[in-house]
Amino acid sequence: MILTILGCSGSVPGPGGPASGYLVRAGATRLVLDFGNGVLSALSAHCDPLSLDAALLSHLHPDHCADMTALAVLRRYGPPPRPDAPLPVHAPSEAASRLAAAYAPSAAELAETDLSDVFAFHPLTPTTVRIGECSVTAARVNHPCEAFGFRVEHEGAVLAYTGDTAACDAVVELARGADVLLSEATWPDLPDLPRDLHLSGREAGELAAAAGVRKLVLTHIAPWYDAHAVLAEARAAFAGPVELAAPGAEHHVGPATSA
């Protein structure tokens, strides 16, 4: 399994790249985890966006789903051959209406806006589903809106992705024993940070240690914070390898290749 970082800027797209979006290739299966601002452009550099098998949206904040409307345009109006079937989109329960609202040309036309010709929406629940050659487990995580983390498994390789979350037991279990943990680390461990919103670098490192993962990749660092300070915090809390996510970087996910 190969994880490609399409975008990793936290909360907004940054000067160095798009907001959250990650391509997972496992055998012949291609999945995207989140699809924030600028991700469609980055995806196009790595594969045909029309070749995706599914999209998984952790939650519906714009930095995790804004480019879904651009993907809808491509799937509906792009050059032939266009896909015959809608793309499966596994997302929180309001995804169909929220993305239709973002796509609608005006408020008056919102009621008639329908994306079902390009997307087949599957509301997420805390369960495991089969998507192509992958087994995908979703779990509710600690964020102010309906939000999920994901565990993707393929032929013994395990990738865990926190989505946006504060510390919680569910994300520890989701990441348990993962070869690669892709963890949000929005900010350094500063006093008086909002509760139940995001992880600091220290908390991401503590998560990796508690879950016993092989490798930690830090993502979703807000561009106004010092990413290397966040990295140093995580390394102080977790003895295994820790890296910063970077647009275009590839990570091989598997017991023999994750170190």
Side-chain angles (χ1 to χ4, degrees), residues 28-49:
T29 301
R30 287 177 170 81
L31 311 175
V32 284
L33 309 179
D34 285 337
F35 216 75
N37 322 67
V39 166
L40 178 59
S41 176
L43 176 64
S44 300
H46 294 276
C47 71
D48 179 358

Side-chain angles (χ1 to χ4, degrees), residues 64-79:
H64 294 260
C65 68
D67 261 23
M68 290 297 289
T69 54
L71 183 60
V73 171
L74 182 64
R75 292 183 69 87
R76 184 177 284 173
Y77 301 113

Side-chain angles (χ1 to χ4, degrees), residues 55-59 89-95 121-131 135-141 146-151 170 174:
L56 289 78
L57 304 181
S58 65
H59 64 296
V89 177
H90 300 262
S93 56
E94 295 181 348
F121 291 99
H122 302 274
L124 287 168
T125 60
T127 189
T128 300
V129 297
R130 190 76 183 174
I131 302 176
S135 175
V136 178
T137 301
R140 284 291 299 264
V141 295
E146 184 184 5
F148 294 82
F150 299 114
R151 181 183 180 93
L174 196 72

Side-chain angles (χ1 to χ4, degrees), residues 23-245:
L23 173 65
V24 177
R25 287 172 285 180
T29 301
R30 287 177 170 81
L31 311 175
V32 284
L33 309 179
D34 285 337
F35 216 75
N37 322 67
V39 166
L40 178 59
S41 176
L43 176 64
S44 300
H46 294 276
C47 71
D48 179 358
L50 300 181
S51 71
L52 294 174
D53 294 289
L56 289 78
L57 304 181
S58 65
H59 64 296
L60 300 177
H61 286 160
D63 59 316
H64 294 260
C65 68
D67 261 23
M68 290 297 289
T69 54
L71 183 60
V73 171
L74 182 64
R75 292 183 69 87
R76 184 177 284 173
Y77 301 113
R82 292 188 290 273
D84 295 328
L87 177 71
V89 177
H90 300 262
S93 56
E94 295 181 348
S97 60
R98 293 276 298 279
L99 293 180
Y103 186 91
S106 69
E109 296 172 85
L110 176 57
E112 290 77 38
T113 300
D114 179 12
L115 299 179
S116 61
D117 61 316
V118 289
F119 297 140
F121 291 99
H122 302 274
L124 287 168
T125 60
T127 189
T128 300
V129 297
R130 190 76 183 174
I131 302 176
E133 299 176 47
C134 297
S135 175
V136 178
T137 301
R140 284 291 299 264
V141 295
N142 187 9
H143 204 52
C145 61
E146 184 184 5
F148 294 82
F150 299 114
R151 181 183 180 93
V152 183
E153 301 180 62
H154 174 258
E155 295 184 350
V158 179
L159 166 68
Y161 171 48
T162 64
D164 279 10
T165 185
C168 62
D169 292 340
V171 78
V172 176
E173 291 309 311
L174 196 72
R176 184 76 63 190
D179 297 302
V180 174
L181 169 61
L182 179 64
S183 176
E184 78 117 286
T186 300
W187 43 41
D189 197 45
L190 300 172
D192 302 322
L193 290 170
R195 296 176 60 83
D196 298 324
L197 187 60
H198 290 297
L199 297 172
S200 67
R202 176 184 62 80
E203 290 171 320
E206 290 173 348
L207 165 61
V213 307
R214 293 174 177 267
K215 175 180 173 180
L216 173 62
V217 179
L218 302 176
T219 191
H220 198 271
I221 299 172
W224 49 87
Y225 289 116
D226 180 354
H228 291 284
V230 174
L231 176 65
E233 287 183 6
R235 285 177 169 168
F238 176 58
V242 186
E243 297 181 20
L244 293 173

